[in-house]
Amino acid sequence: MAYDADVIVVGGGLAGLVAATEIADAGKRVIVVDQEGEQSLGGQAFWSFGGLFLVDSPEQRRLGIKDSYDLALQDWMGSAGFDRDEDLWPRKWAEAYVAFAAGEKRGWLRAMGHRFFPVVGWAERGGYDAMSHGNSVPRFHVTWGTGPGIVEPFERRAREAQASGRLTFRFRHRVDALSVTGGAVDGVSGVVLEPDNIERGKSSSRKITGDFTLRAQAVIVASGGIGGNHDLVRQNWPKRLGAPPKFMISGVPEHVDGRMIGITETAGARLINRDRMWHYVEGIQNWSPIWPRHGIRILPGPSSMWFDASGRRLPSPLFPGSDTLGQLQYIMGTGYDYSWFVLTQSIIKKEFALSGSEQNPDLTGKSWLATARRATNKGAPAPVEAFKNHGVDFIVRDNLEALVEAMNKLSGDNLLKFEQVKAQIEARDREIANPYVKDTQVMNIHNARKYVGDRLIRTAKPHRILDPAQGPLIAVKLNILTRKTLGGFETDLDSRVFGQDGKIIGGLYAVGEAAGFGGGGMHGYRSLEGTFLGGCLFSGRNAGRAAARAAG
């Protein structure tokens, strides 16, 4: 039977676009199928903040940051905590990816016109020892243009390949099965969904208008993870993180449903580390939602005080921006699925950013003037102020007693005791008078302000929380926000998928989140942040080049 293309890519997100453009550039024919419409091209990357993990970059060096492959690999391995037999390929992917981030990644992107914002962010700071979780130095490079800025070079390349006839898009085509002949994958089949021009991210029609079958020498699965399917998230929830949350909000649209993962596994692919996942604890309900249960993550600076549902301050080093999964494990261990930030107007102005391209119109729109106003405005960035004014999780009061009363009313649990919360805040405030302290969070604040990037735009000048001049006081109820699947299909460094018998399945590749961003889980248990988009780039590139070579 004749092939419809050399390679079929399932999924038009970032990893799928990278793979498809590499195949087309090699002179091969590729079809990209996606269950969503053309308006959703770029997938989850479009909605992202556009952060990329780089090592020893010119941006770091200009800011006086001393980084190296060895230091980055030490941080990666300390965070990943690889400890399973099936971590063989994830570990190889981790080593290869850190080398990519320290080597040709930046130059490869730059040659396509990609650019970075000059201030490097410091995410996942850890706070344990040198060989444990966290970034020892700032490595979070924000794309100038955020998520759309990282998608644009690959969409442009894809459109050029489409114009030349080497690439074909089949939107609104939902894959329901992989075809396997003689042990090798050689096509896909499924249904055609009715056209739907609904806004990007909103739930689209599932009305079926027909069916389809496509054949090729290889299929690349680039279908994403499970974050929009809370039933699957709970089904795979690891016991080490406590019981699954009763209430969660979604950091991804509803169509991130995990269907293709099950379909690919049915075809014989080996899925590993399915209990490893990356969900945020600083989620807030979107006051202007696009998709169901739409949540946004706060990207916090280091100064907000963090309390659990009962009003106990989170222990060291579980401070804002330090250890996402450590915080998740602690919070779920309290028996409640929410926690609280308590802060001041001075802190929210300097330290609050919201993850997502649509929440950062200055960076997304590539406006230097608007971006510079972050450091000079009297208020917080406009999207943050909008959440403060309209978001159901935000409380603003002029005094602490009124704030705690409103917090109890919002949660409905009435767990917070004013005197207990007050005593903890006053104790922390007494530590502010000196630059040398025993409070670890205050130490972190002083440490952060030694870095020029944090001092300029990400860390407020140390001050007392209860200083009226820094007010009003603000409380934010923080929810669990679903986001990333860290496990996935086991692959070699060419993104070829292993079968359940431990042998490579001919013609089958997996990339991006479906492959745990490479190998079936190159992050291990924890991410250093800025690594998800980069994993899509690296795995998509490897798969596209390998599939093109194999097509002959």
Side-chain angles (χ1 to χ4, degrees):
M1 186 179 295
Y3 290 125
D4 297 287
D6 295 304
V7 184
I8 296 167
V9 176
V10 182
L14 181 60
L17 281 177
V18 175
T21 52
E22 290 292 328
I23 293 163
D25 283 357
K28 306 300 180 182
R29 295 178 304 127
V30 58
I31 296 174
V32 178
V33 298
D34 197 297
Q35 67 177 346
E36 296 306 306
E38 189 166 6
Q39 68 273 27
S40 292
L41 196 62
Q44 306 328 302
F46 177 91
W47 297 107
S48 75
F49 197 42
L52 289 172
F53 177 92
L54 293 180
V55 179
D56 193 27
S57 69
E59 289 77 15
Q60 287 176 299
R61 293 194 293 270
R62 280 195 290 268
L63 293 165
I65 300 165
K66 295 178 173 62
D67 201 5
S68 67
Y69 169 80
D70 289 337
L71 181 60
L73 189 64
Q74 171 181 301
D75 288 346
W76 192 291
M77 293 302 178
S79 299
F82 294 124
D83 60 0
R84 298 173 176 174
D85 291 342
E86 49 268 281
D87 284 334
L88 171 66
W89 285 104
R91 184 187 295 271
K92 290 183 178 182
W93 270 89
E95 293 168 348
Y97 176 71
V98 174
F100 177 62
E104 61 179 313
K105 180 180 179 181
R106 182 181 181 276
W108 177 62
L109 289 170
R110 191 171 179 83
M112 289 181 260
H114 179 275
R115 296 294 184 269
F116 288 110
F117 182 64
V119 179
V120 182
W122 196 353
E124 289 295 302
R125 305 180 188 209
Y128 305 94
D129 61 43
M131 295 182 70
S132 297
H133 172 65
N135 284 293
S136 299
V137 298
R139 296 191 178 105
F140 191 86
H141 296 66
V142 176
T143 296
W144 187 232
T146 66
I150 189 67
V151 171
E152 190 278 330
F154 299 99
E155 181 174 357
R156 185 181 66 246
R157 287 174 60 191
R159 296 298 187 188
E160 291 168 356
Q162 183 183 26
S164 72
R166 295 192 306 277
L167 186 151
T168 303
F169 286 110
R170 297 287 181 92
F171 296 109
R172 303 295 288 162
H173 282 55
R174 188 185 73 194
V175 173
D176 292 332
L178 298 176
S179 60
V180 182
T181 304
V185 172
D186 60 359
V188 299
S189 61
V191 297
V192 180
L193 304 175
E194 71 174 351
D196 191 339
N197 294 322
I198 196 166
E199 179 185 349
R200 178 194 287 265
K202 289 189 176 293
S203 300
S204 59
S205 169
R206 287 297 177 262
K207 183 179 178 181
I208 296 170
T209 62
D211 52 33
F212 74 94
T213 299
L214 295 170
R215 289 177 59 83
Q217 297 180 59
V219 174
I220 299 176
V221 176
S223 56
I226 67 173
N229 186 334
H230 289 194
D231 289 339
L232 264 183
V233 170
R234 290 190 174 96
Q235 180 181 319
N236 291 297
W237 191 270
K239 291 182 180 179
R240 64 181 176 277
L241 296 181
K246 295 178 181 177
F247 177 76
M248 294 186 289
I249 53 181
S250 292
V252 294
E254 190 175 38
H255 64 253
V256 186
D257 55 15
R259 282 186 75 257
M260 195 64 205
I261 293 177
I263 290 164
T264 308
E265 190 175 17
T266 298
R270 185 179 186 216
L271 185 66
I272 61 174
N273 299 318
R274 68 181 79 211
D275 65 322
R276 291 178 181 168
M277 47 185 64
W278 189 254
H279 305 305
Y280 294 111
V281 288
E282 312 100 333
I284 50 177
Q285 299 171 77
N286 196 336
W287 64 273
S288 181
I290 297 172
W291 53 79
R293 300 174 292 199
H294 188 175
I296 297 293
R297 185 206 175 192
I298 296 170
L299 301 172
S303 302
S304 297
M305 292 193 70
W306 203 335
F307 297 92
D308 66 22
S310 68
R312 292 187 298 268
R313 192 176 174 192
L314 265 64
S316 174
L318 302 182
F319 307 123
S322 63
D323 178 3
T324 292
L325 283 201
Q327 292 148 357
L328 178 58
Q329 185 174 10
Y330 174 85
I331 289 166
M332 296 313 302
T334 67
Y336 296 88
D337 51 19
Y338 68 91
S339 59
W340 298 96
F341 275 169
V342 173
L343 59 150
T344 64
Q345 178 64 26
S346 294
I347 292 173
I348 202 171
K349 170 192 169 185
K350 192 77 174 276
E351 297 194 5
F352 266 37
L354 300 174
S355 182
S357 55
E358 82 282 10
Q359 299 297 332
N360 295 275
D362 47 357
L363 290 164
T364 302
K366 301 182 180 180
S367 170
W368 286 111
L369 179 61
T371 303
R373 289 185 182 136
R374 288 188 181 223
T376 59
N377 279 353
K378 291 184 178 179
V384 176
E385 285 291 338
F387 265 90
K388 195 181 83 174
N389 294 328
H390 304 296
V392 297
D393 296 312
F394 282 74
I395 300 168
V396 182
R397 295 291 187 273
D398 290 326
N399 65 81
L400 184 62
E401 188 168 11
L403 189 78
V404 172
E405 181 182 353
M407 291 163 72
N408 276 325
K409 184 177 180 181
L410 178 60
S411 72
D413 293 323
N414 204 37
L415 298 174
L416 302 175
K417 303 295 186 286
F418 166 65
E419 291 297 337
Q420 179 192 26
V421 175
K422 179 185 176 186
Q424 293 173 90
I425 295 176
E426 287 179 338
R428 178 264 188 204
D429 280 358
R430 293 186 190 102
E431 299 279 304
I432 291 296
N434 298 295
Y436 39 89
V437 294
K438 72 176 182 181
D439 187 293
T440 315
Q441 183 176 10
V442 180
M443 290 182 196
N444 284 354
I445 295 168
H446 290 312
N447 189 45
R449 285 182 61 83
K450 291 179 181 178
Y451 167 49
V452 63
D454 275 358
R455 189 168 65 251
L456 285 173
I457 62 173
R458 287 293 284 152
T459 305
K461 185 176 180 180
H463 62 271
R464 292 184 297 112
I465 297 289
L466 297 181
D467 180 355
Q470 308 292 336
L473 290 170
I474 301 164
V476 187
K477 184 172 179 282
L478 305 174
N479 308 281
I480 308 303
L481 177 75
T482 65
R483 187 62 68 85
K484 301 299 181 188
T485 309
L486 296 189
F489 292 112
E490 185 179 34
T491 65
D492 68 5
L493 290 176
D494 283 336
S495 294
R496 299 184 302 167
V497 178
F498 288 93
Q500 290 160 10
D501 61 359
K503 298 178 181 178
I504 293 290
I505 298 176
L508 183 61
Y509 301 77
V511 298
E513 198 169 351
F517 301 92
M522 73 174 186
H523 298 92
Y525 289 95
R526 283 174 163 84
S527 166
L528 288 174
E529 287 286 20
T531 54
F532 302 124
L533 294 176
C536 291
L537 297 174
F538 189 52
S539 62
R541 193 176 85 147
N542 286 9
R545 293 180 178 183
R549 288 194 304 268

